[in-house]
């Protein structure tokens, strides 16, 4: 057997949920049993790696023998003995468990920068990051460039903020650098509030040092000595890895006093969010770090002038920061050569919903939407019909099939009434009701509205009321116009980005799916059969085998029938929970 | 107030002073010590610091992470993010509410064994729908599978 064996086990949140810990332990045990651990001549190492994006196939395991790598999917602890025996000792891969062509299609069409090392290196070991040229970006900045030159380099790269608004990063830094102050701050926004997005979590879990290095570069450029990472408390694993990475960075002299023998001092603190979407907004986030209610304030002054504790502050998103080490190392020109005319570089998207290959992907800006959905995503689950892609989360909109060829970048998404947001991409199929989706987002923004300004506090509530009555079959003929009217007013008059963008899901679904609203209002019908109040459940007699599953599942006692004879649903008792529909193995319950 | 509670609060208070008086951190400390924010603790803190209690309650009620009532022994967190929503998370929630006999507006079972909470996204969207029990992540759930998982917590409640 070979002396050079490397095993990587995917241990992001997805990997751990699928049993990554157990798989790691099983490898340790089996290797020890086989006596490999003790034999110093034979080098066989098991590594924990972060998320490589394809969590749906977890636990993913790479076995590399003499640098020939085989990737296995859906691995469970009880499969490990066979892997060790046949592949590691015997030298023959277990073909049955090797990933298929779809795994390669998923990866091959991507262009990885920020995610390049995620899933390849051990995030809890700084040496692994140093081995892939980690911290060379900040060292280059410190030893060869002035702060102004760093800012020029970032400006020339064309990097725009990945947190949603897409503001040019170099320009933001320049404003902040120009403001004289005894203290300045760099904040990493890891609040990732968009439900349905997990890019930032994966980057911190998979490669925390890249974020730390990015923050150091920003701090050097603007002249800050202190930094904060504001991170969601819902991400315990990311927080733990971040803390580990910070102490390793300190121990290696990448944080602290007189970094790399220069006069540059910088250190980072971690602040846990306390669960409020609005705290992703920069002025609210600052209030939250200061220990207050996270309410946004009017801008200007922008944080670059008056930020944390009233001092000039740069706030950047996790992904924005993770791009910086690469830009410094490989140069602005290299970065600007990626992407579209107006949007440079790559973008990480969380591809989820009704798509075959759900996961985290990184693609060049400007890639046609179609390639994302069909080539990388493998198309719609169960060969159902594609309906729309929702991007930008609660601030974004839906892109219908007629725009499937759209090149995806900041400008084009805005043009079709959606936005980039933080990069959530939820795919919807024919079974999704667009009125329900728009109501879902309004429920979210309404409950997350901080209440400071009236248009957002009252306006989102009124929008939600109208949407709710439409989905309950109580919509009025004038409701669509009313929604449009209110939506535009809320957009124009809200204080912060939350209110200004909250009506977007309503506007974009009315723009492209007005007929669905009309069906709910005029015909009291939900075309996708989602809105419960508008559904009736019935049993198709000739398909029903009388197995009694539905009868037992029904919480309302609405189903009657003798064994082996067709059952019957009493619609006056039915609470429309759908339990019968879910349990029927013979597809004899229909909802319409 | 019990002396053990007092000792704990004094420790949190000195932490608070070293921390530049950060109210969120103080509340996070109180909650991690007691499992929720006891009203007594807030009044004690308010007396000690001269900061009005309303300020503490203002912060505590603003953030969804803070609880003013005791919670169950096992915390079930149901993800209601977009990805989980379109994959049917509400059906799991309906089923659990039914299974745990939770009345509308209630989130903790009568015996204090379970609390059912909703959260906007736990960041594991690619294995939606996702449920958490005491931080353990369960992906690709169905109502049936989740009910089964809960049984293990009934028999051997977490320590
Ligand atoms: C309601 C609201 C929520 C936001 N949530 C986030 C978030 O979760 N993460 C993030 O990076 N930016 C978020 N932003 C954008 C930030 O305000 C800010 O623009 C961003 O962090 C700047 O970093 P960037 O220039 O690197 O994108 C949010 C904005 C608004 C209005
Ligand atoms: S939407 Fe449920 S984990 Fe993200």
């Amino acid at each position: 057997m070979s002396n050079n064996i490397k095993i990587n086990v995917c241990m992001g949140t997805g990997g751990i949920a699928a049993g990554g810990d157990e798989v790691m332990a099983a490898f340790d045990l089996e290797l020890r049993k086989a006596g490999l651990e003790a034999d110093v001549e034979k080098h066989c190492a098991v590594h924990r790696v972060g998320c490589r994006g394809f969590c749906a196939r977890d636990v993913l395991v790479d076995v590399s023998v003499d640098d020939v790598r085989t990737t296995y999917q859906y691995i469970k602890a009880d499969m490990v003995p066979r892997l060790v025996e046949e592949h590691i000792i015997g030298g023959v891969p277990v073909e049955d468990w090797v990933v298929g062509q779809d795994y390669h299609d998923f990866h091959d069409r991507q262009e990885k920068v920020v995610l390049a090392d995620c899933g390849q290196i051990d995030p809890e070991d700084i040496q692994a990051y140093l081995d892939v040229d980690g911290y060379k970006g900040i060292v280059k900045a410190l030893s060869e460039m002035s702060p102004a030159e760093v800012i020029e380099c970032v400006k020339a790269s064309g990097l725009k903020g990945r947190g949603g608004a897409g503001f040019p990063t170099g320009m933001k830094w320049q404003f902040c650098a120009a403001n004289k102050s005894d203290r300045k701050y760099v904040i990493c926004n890891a609040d990732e509030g968009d439900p349905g997005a997990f890019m930032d979590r994966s980057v911190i879990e998979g490669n925390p040092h890249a974020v730390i290095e990015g923050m150091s570069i920003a701090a050097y450029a603007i002249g800050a000595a202190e930094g904060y990472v504001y991170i969601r408390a819902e991400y315990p694993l990311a927080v733990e890895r971040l803390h580990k990475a910070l102490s390793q960075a300190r121990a290696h002299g990448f944080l602290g006093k007189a970094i790399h023998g220069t006069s540059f001092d910088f250190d980072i603190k971690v602040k846990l969010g306390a669960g409020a979407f609005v705290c992703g907004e920069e002025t609210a986030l600052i209030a939250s770090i200061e220990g207050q209610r996270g309410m946004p304030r009017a801008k200007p002054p922008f944080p670059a002038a008056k930020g944390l504790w009233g001092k000039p502050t740069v706030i950047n998103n996790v992904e924005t920061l993770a791009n910086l080490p690469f830009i410094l190392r490989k140069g602005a020109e290299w970065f600007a050569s990626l992407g579209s005319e107006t949007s440079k570089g790559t973008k990480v998207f969380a591809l989820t919903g009704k798509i075959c290959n759900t996961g985290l992907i990184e693609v060049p800006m400007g890639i046609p939407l179609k390639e994302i959905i069909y080539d990388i995503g493998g198309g719609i689950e169960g060969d159902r019909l594609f309906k729309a892609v929702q991007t930008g989360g609660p601030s974004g909109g839906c892109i219908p099939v007629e725009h499937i060829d759209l090149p995806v970048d900041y400008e084009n998404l805005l043009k079709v009434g959606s936005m980039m947001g933080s990069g959530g991409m939820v795919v919807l199929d024919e079974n999704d009701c667009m009125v329900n989706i728009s109501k879902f987002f309004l429920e979210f923004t309404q409950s997350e509205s901080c209440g400071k300004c009236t248009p957002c506090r009252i306006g989102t509530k009124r929008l939600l009321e109208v949407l709710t009555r439409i989905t309950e079959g109580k919509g009025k003929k004038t409701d669509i116009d009313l929604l449009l009217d209110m939506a535009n007013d809320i957009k124009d008059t809200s204080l912060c980005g939350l209110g200004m963008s909250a009506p977007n899901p309503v506007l974009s679904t009315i723009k492209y799916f007005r007929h669905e609203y009309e069906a709910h209002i005029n015909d009291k019908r939900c075309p996708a059969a989602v809105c419960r109040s508008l559904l009736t459940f019935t049993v198709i007699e000739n398909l029903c085998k009388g197995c009694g599953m539905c009868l037992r599942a029904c919480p309302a006692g609405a189903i009657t029938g003798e064994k082996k004879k067709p059952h019957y649903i009493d619609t006056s008792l039915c609470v429309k929970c759908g339990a019968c529909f879910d349990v029927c193995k013979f597809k004899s319950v229909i909802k319409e | 107030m019990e002396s053990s509670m007092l000792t704990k609060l004094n420790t949190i208070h000195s932490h608070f002073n070293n921390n530049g008086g950060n109210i969120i951190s103080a509340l996070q400390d109180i909650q991690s010590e007691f499992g929720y924010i006891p009203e007594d603790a807030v009044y004690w803190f308010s007396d000690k610091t001269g900061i009005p209690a309303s300020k503490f309650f203002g912060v505590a009620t603003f953030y969804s992470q803070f609880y003013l009532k005791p919670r169950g022994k096992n915390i079930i967190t149901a993800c209601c993010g977009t990805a989980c929503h379109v994959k049917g998370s509400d059906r799991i929630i309906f089923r659990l509410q039914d299974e745990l006999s939770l009345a509308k507006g209630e989130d903790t079972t009568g015996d204090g064994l379970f609390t059912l909470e909703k959260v906007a996204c736990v960041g594991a969207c690619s294995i939606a729908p996702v449920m958490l029990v005491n931080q353990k992540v369960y992906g690709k759930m169905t109502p049936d599978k989740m009910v089964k998982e809960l049984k293990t917590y009934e028999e051997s409640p977490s320590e």
Side-chain angles (χ1 to χ4, degrees), chain A residues 337-395:
Chain A
S337 72
L338 301 170
S340 70
E341 196 55 46
T342 43
S343 299
K344 299 301 180 192
T346 59
K347 178 77 193 92
V348 181
F349 289 101
L351 190 60
T352 60
K354 308 292 182 59
I355 187 139
C356 292
N357 306 335
T358 56
L360 205 63
I361 61 166
E362 184 171 359
V363 289
M365 292 274 191
I367 185 175
L369 185 57
K370 198 178 190 167
E371 275 188 38
I372 296 182
I373 306 291
Y374 290 98
D375 299 340
I376 297 173
I380 308 303
E381 250 181 358
D383 278 329
R384 284 188 295 267
L385 279 183
F386 170 86
K387 187 181 253 180
V389 176
Q390 208 284 341
T391 69
S395 322

Side-chain angles (χ1 to χ4, degrees), chain A residues 161-165 167 172 189 191-193 277-278 280-282 315-317 320 497-498:
Chain A
R162 302 299 196 231
F167 193 81
K172 189 189 273 189
N189 188 344
D191 196 41
E192 195 156 62
F277 172 64
V278 72
E281 196 280 337
E282 48 195 17
I315 299 192
N316 276 129
N317 164 264
T320 315
L498 196 157

